[in-house]
Amino acid sequence: MALISQFGDWRSSGMTDKDKKAAIAGAAGTAAGAAGSVGTVAAAGTATGLGATGITSGLAAIGGVVGGGMATGLAITVAAPLVVGGAAYGLYRWLKKD
């Protein structure tokens, strides 16, 4: 919650309780997606780990899945947490319909 409160006082922002909880669910989903992306990059390449060779080969391996290279792997790795966070936000709002 500290991260969310850095962007303003969300407790008095006029958001409903449901919106606040949905935002927290989205933030938690984004954090989980980011952790998953880092783990995937570290494990996917020919040189495992988070050193320069591990990151480079991991991103290239991820990009290679869709026929691209390291830049494509970077785009996929950056987009994945956003997709997971958006899905968590949407799922929470859908499950908690009034």
Side-chain angles (χ1 to χ4, degrees), residues 58-85:
L59 289 173
I62 292 168
V65 170
V66 294
M70 190 172 126
T72 305
L74 179 62
I76 293 169
T77 304
V78 168
L82 300 176
V83 170
V84 172

Side-chain angles (χ1 to χ4, degrees), residues 26-61:
T30 302
S37 290
V38 171
T40 302
V41 167
T46 56
T48 58
L50 291 174
T53 56
I55 292 171
T56 302
S57 67
L59 289 173

